Structures are given as structure tokens and as C-alpha cells.
Amino acid sequence: MSDPTSALRIAPQPLPYVDLLAPRDASDITLVVIHCTELPDLATARIYGERALYDNGTGASGHWYIDRDGSIAEYVQATRTAHHVRGHNTQSVGIELVNTGRFPDWYDSRRQTMDEAYTPAQIEALCQLLAHLRATLPNLREIAGHEDLDTDRVAASDDPALTVARKRDPGPLFPWPEVLARVPLTRIAV
């Protein structure tokens, strides 16, 4: 039987502030969070990831980004704590799938449909990456969508009397049954 991760190729593309992110042991990681970029392409996701948003000079970013063609870029190594999901960063890693999501009207109540399907190449790369992480992160046992963990609602940008989900990713078109059937992780939600 061949190793399902043998074809896995990850391009290291560290963010400029990666050395400012808190270090941690691989054994601290128990959870992987699936996101979608909600941006048009990987180049735009990189621009957003490089923005310094916090006083310590760091920003918001996942660890790995999977483009529509299945290519994987590593912006932050697993042994650094990235800012990708409120309240769960210290014990988790984040994987971002390039997908337009609700871009550019994230909080417009009339534009909440997420209708871009994930490509077969993205899902294959994701499953290979998850298998690799499961094999290399000794305590990784759980998986969640960003929408499972960040359930806050915010005022709609078109009508402040309405609210919309702050996070909806990876969204309704993410193939949870396929991914969970291929990778032995338990899906959690708060």
C-alpha cells in the first residue's frame, strides 16, 4: 500500500512577521480548523495575510493555503501560533482554501450565499495535508469549520437592524462527509 502523503508538496512562503508569532510544541496542537479565504485568489489572500493588525506587528493568517489547483503554500509553520480563529489559536492550526465565499460584500444581508464549489484538486490536497498533519502532530484528533467555532453575529452592512453570521466558512458547499471519511479526525463545534 502506498503512502497517501507521498505526493504532498508544500511550498514554504513564510509571512514577514512569522518570527513574531508565539512558538509552541507540536504536541500542543489538538485541533485543525478549516477556513475559506473569502477572497478572489491566493495573491489577494497573501496581501491580507501580510497586513499587520496587532500591536506586536502580526496579522491574521492561516498556516496553510490551498489554491484551486491543489497547490499548498505554508505561510506559518505549525510550531507557531497563527491568528486564524478567535479563542482557539493556541491549540489549533488553520487551513485556508482559496474560495470567494461572500467576497466582497461579507456582511451584506443580500449577499450571504456562498456558491463557489471547492475543486476536486483542493479537496484532494486538503485530505493529503490532513493525513500528513495527523501523522506528524501527535495530539491532533479534532477538526472544525471556522463557522463551528466563531458563531457571533454582526450588524449587516446594508441594514444595521439586521444581523449576519460573522464567519460562514468553509460554508455549505464544503464536503464534510468526504473529508471525514478519508481522515480520522472528530468534527467538533462549540
Side-chain angles (χ1 to χ4, degrees):
M1 183 174 190
S2 66
D3 176 1
T5 66
S6 61
L8 187 64
R9 302 233 191 301
I10 301 173
Q13 298 176 8
L15 290 170
Y17 56 75
V18 75
D19 291 338
L20 300 174
L21 295 169
R24 63 180 172 188
D25 291 330
S27 62
D28 294 339
I29 302 163
T30 62
L31 170 67
V32 61
V33 181
I34 306 300
H35 303 264
C36 84
T37 58
E38 291 205 81
L39 295 167
D41 52 42
L42 186 60
T44 305
R46 180 67 187 204
I47 291 167
Y48 273 72
E50 288 184 356
R51 296 185 311 175
L53 302 173
Y54 308 113
D55 290 341
N56 68 353
T58 66
S61 172
H63 290 82
W64 300 276
Y65 285 70
I66 303 177
D67 210 343
R68 291 177 180 94
D69 66 0
S71 59
I72 303 171
E74 181 181 81
Y75 287 6
V76 177
Q77 63 268 44
T79 54
R80 293 280 180 174
T81 302
H83 304 287
H84 64 98
V85 59
R86 296 186 310 174
H88 300 275
N89 290 319
T90 58
Q91 80 272 18
S92 70
V93 290
I95 300 174
E96 297 269 0
L97 300 168
V98 175
N99 185 287
T100 54
R102 302 172 291 175
F103 177 83
D105 302 307
W106 299 285
Y107 302 130
D108 187 315
S109 68
R110 301 161 298 180
R111 302 208 179 11
Q112 292 299 297
T113 303
M114 297 175 73
D115 57 9
E116 180 185 351
Y118 294 96
T119 69
Q122 279 180 307
I123 300 307
E124 180 60 33
L126 173 64
C127 289
Q128 288 183 17
L129 178 57
L130 289 170
H132 169 74
L133 296 176
R134 183 69 180 85
T136 57
L137 300 174
N139 294 317
L140 182 65
R141 301 284 183 273
E142 298 174 322
I143 189 170
H146 197 181
E147 64 195 340
D148 296 328
L149 304 175
D150 188 340
T151 58
D152 286 354
R153 297 187 65 80
V154 296
S157 59
D158 61 305
D159 183 350
L162 301 175
T163 63
V164 296
R166 182 174 177 276
K167 297 298 178 182
R168 292 200 63 219
D169 58 307
L173 298 181
F174 184 76
W176 281 110
E178 176 185 350
V179 171
L180 294 173
R182 292 182 60 187
V183 183
L185 293 167
T186 302
R187 186 176 181 192
I188 64 162
V190 172

